[in-house]
Amino acid sequence: MDPLESEGGSQKSNNKPKYSKFTQQELPACKPLLTPGIVVATFLLIGVIFVPIGLASLSASQEIVELVDRYDTNCVSTPDKVGFIQNTDTDKTCTRTLTVPKHMKSPIQIYYQIGDFYQNHRRYVKSRSDKQLRYKNAVHLTKDCDPEGNTVDGAPIVPCGLIAWSLFNDTYTISVNKKAIEVNKKDIAWKSDKTDKFGSDIYPSNFQKGSLIGGAKLNESIPLSEQEDLIVWMRTAALPTFRKLYGRIETDIMANDQLTVVIQNNYNTYSFGGSKALVLSTTSWIGGKNNFIGVAYLTIGGLCIFLAVGFVVLLYMVKPRTLGDPSYLSWNRDTPDHPN
């Protein structure tokens, strides 16, 4: 035999693909046979699990006490609301009185709720510099922050961008039965945001000193990692109506107590037709008040139980048949023995 042939033959044999269970589709696989009994049992199992979860979620949601007070319209007495809110000389103090319907156990969460504010707008979401917020040597990276990237003199704004520029600046002072109570504003932001997204050695500079003046101002002696109102605001919301945590009340409030809230109505939602509301809410193991989770679990669980009962009635009582009966095959349907 020619040695070249033998060499070529060995090369050809070496180029053959190796045998593999993956390429030959011989991997172990689960191929369940969906018999009526298995289907009915699966539906029943889902229903038995989901219905109690739904009931527990609804019960927890109903126990939450929530006060919602929309104040944007009542806190401006003049027809020209935009002119009122933009005038720096007007007194924007507004006092609201609320009655607590049920006993509210501490901690009581204080939220501000804004409506028709699209924080998920593409240009708004992109108007920030994450590197500038985190690293001291990146304060000059403001190219994505226009029109709030630099001052008129060209100095970088820290933090730059439209998200920080539009920071919420209404304030709330709360009294219970004419006795002032403290609002705790510590630890209202996510710990991961404070440690991973905002630097402890980055301080605000030139903020609200650009060509446009937006919302709140920042204390230039406090690093960004401790500016928790800013951190909460810069976690942008997905929906146009959203709530953000303002602070907490660490004492219980009894039923029928009178809450007096002194509001500094500074934030301009009037230019874009938005709304503002103050929300006081207790919490439970599912978080805030939310009936949707419980209703969803009850709906899916109830539907599964209904389908399981329906299959039992149809397949075992109305039209029972033997599993794998060959008389139902297409080539046996024309025979005299075929069941109608």
Side-chain angles (χ1 to χ4, degrees):
M1 179 182 292
D2 190 349
L4 293 177
E5 278 186 65
S6 61
E7 184 179 351
S10 63
Q11 289 179 353
K12 289 181 181 180
S13 62
N14 290 334
N15 291 332
K16 289 183 179 180
K18 293 183 178 181
Y19 172 80
S20 170
K21 288 187 177 182
F22 177 77
T23 58
Q24 298 301 317
Q25 300 183 15
E26 294 179 356
L27 292 174
C30 179
K31 301 176 181 178
L33 179 62
L34 295 180
T35 63
I38 293 177
V39 173
V40 169
T42 302
F43 278 130
L44 280 176
L45 180 63
I46 295 174
V48 168
I49 294 175
F50 275 40
V51 168
I53 294 177
L55 291 174
S57 300
L58 270 181
S59 176
S61 180
Q62 294 300 320
E63 292 178 358
I64 294 173
V65 183
E66 185 176 273
L67 282 175
V68 181
D69 179 53
R70 179 176 174 177
Y71 62 87
D72 57 303
T73 55
N74 295 323
C75 285
V76 179
S77 57
T78 62
D80 184 12
K81 293 180 171 56
V82 176
F84 173 86
I85 205 71
Q86 290 180 341
N87 189 345
T88 57
D89 296 329
T90 58
D91 183 14
K92 300 181 176 63
T93 302
C94 177
T95 303
R96 305 286 293 169
T97 302
L98 309 173
T99 302
V100 179
K102 295 181 181 179
H103 176 211
M104 301 183 74
K105 296 181 180 179
S106 64
I108 302 169
Q109 314 295 326
I110 304 173
Y111 304 93
Y112 53 89
Q113 177 176 296
I114 302 180
D116 293 326
F117 190 122
Y118 291 83
Q119 273 199 319
N120 62 345
H121 191 283
R122 179 180 61 85
R123 293 183 63 187
Y124 183 85
V125 171
K126 291 178 64 177
S127 184
R128 63 186 292 166
S129 175
D130 290 324
K131 290 184 178 179
Q132 183 202 62
L133 299 173
R134 186 72 183 91
Y135 303 107
K136 190 173 183 179
N137 58 356
V139 293
H140 63 284
L141 300 179
T142 61
K143 66 177 182 178
D144 296 328
C145 296
D146 288 337
E148 286 298 312
N150 299 278
T151 63
V152 178
D153 300 331
I157 298 173
V158 183
C160 67
L162 290 176
I163 305 178
W165 169 81
S166 59
L167 175 61
F168 186 78
N169 61 341
D170 284 4
T171 61
Y172 310 117
T173 304
I174 301 177
S175 301
V176 179
N177 298 327
K178 298 183 179 181
K179 182 180 179 182
I181 58 174
E182 182 181 358
V183 176
N184 183 9
K185 296 181 68 66
K186 293 290 186 181
D187 298 326
I188 61 174
W190 291 18
K191 184 178 180 181
S192 58
D193 285 354
K194 293 193 293 183
T195 57
D196 299 335
K197 293 186 178 181
F198 293 82
S200 59
D201 56 350
I202 312 297
Y203 292 84
S205 63
N206 302 315
F207 190 66
Q208 301 294 12
K209 296 179 181 178
S211 57
L212 298 173
I213 303 300
K217 297 182 179 180
L218 298 175
N219 190 335
E220 296 189 355
S221 63
I222 300 177
L224 294 185
S225 61
E226 297 180 16
Q227 305 264 9
E228 296 200 45
D229 285 326
L230 173 70
I231 298 173
V232 170
W233 178 258
M234 294 198 69
R235 177 167 283 278
T236 53
L239 300 177
T241 298
F242 56 86
R243 296 177 180 179
K244 290 184 181 290
L245 188 60
Y246 178 83
R248 297 184 183 89
I249 298 174
E250 304 291 350
T251 59
D252 290 3
I253 300 178
M254 308 307 295
N256 300 320
D257 280 352
Q258 295 293 318
L259 284 180
T260 303
V261 185
V262 179
I263 302 171
Q264 290 297 323
N265 183 30
N266 300 315
Y267 199 69
N268 185 8
T269 58
Y270 307 98
S271 296
F272 57 88
S275 62
K276 294 187 291 185
L278 170 66
V279 181
L280 279 76
S281 175
T282 58
T283 56
S284 67
W285 59 271
I286 63 169
K289 193 175 187 66
N290 188 350
N291 292 333
F292 174 78
I293 296 176
V295 171
Y297 271 103
L298 283 176
T299 302
I300 299 300
L303 181 61
C304 288
I305 292 176
F306 174 78
L307 290 175
V309 173
F311 279 137
V312 169
V313 172
L314 180 64
L315 298 178
Y316 291 99
M317 298 176 66
V318 178
K319 281 191 174 182
R321 54 178 277 188
T322 305
L323 184 64
D325 190 347
S327 63
Y328 285 89
L329 296 173
S330 58
W331 54 83
N332 292 331
R333 289 178 182 173
D334 297 331
T335 60
D337 296 334
H338 183 268
N340 295 324

